[in-house]
Amino acid sequence: MGGSRGEGAVPGGRPVLHRFNGDEEYGLDTAVVRLIRSYDGDADAGVTVWFEARADPDAARRCEDTADMGAAPSAEVGVAMTAAGRTSTGWSGVRS
């Protein structure tokens, strides 16, 4: 896809937003993985693996229409695992 990109250095390991008018690339600011044990009265209730990632707004190559906005995407995802091995996911979305 075509599209003009704003200036900016983007290191390896980067989030990329594939937009209708081109790709936006961001440097990674933070990435966190947490393991959260469930305490709902059941010792074998399970755990949730929680992933968080936030892009660095200062290390970005943006499309022309968003070059001056200074926004950066972030995402959070939780995967709940019961003691029996069943999983479910929680998605809090992508923010910019």
Side-chain angles (χ1 to χ4, degrees):
M1 295 184 143
S4 299
R5 296 180 184 199
E7 296 297 318
V10 177
R14 66 204 188 308
V16 177
L17 294 180
H18 301 288
R19 298 189 56 229
F20 70 95
N21 61 341
D23 292 347
E24 294 188 336
E25 300 178 31
Y26 294 86
L28 198 56
D29 183 34
T30 60
V32 177
V33 178
R34 292 185 171 91
L35 185 61
I36 304 164
R37 185 173 178 188
S38 299
Y39 291 102
D40 61 357
D42 181 1
D44 295 323
V47 297
T48 298
V49 181
W50 190 258
F51 303 91
E52 297 178 14
R54 302 201 190 298
D56 183 352
D58 297 324
R61 285 194 300 236
R62 296 180 178 89
C63 294
E64 195 172 289
D65 65 333
T66 59
D68 296 330
M69 293 183 178
S74 65
E76 300 173 354
V77 177
V79 179
M81 296 182 287
T82 66
R86 293 182 302 271
T87 62
S88 64
T89 59
W91 173 255
S92 68
V94 175
R95 297 183 296 263
S96 55

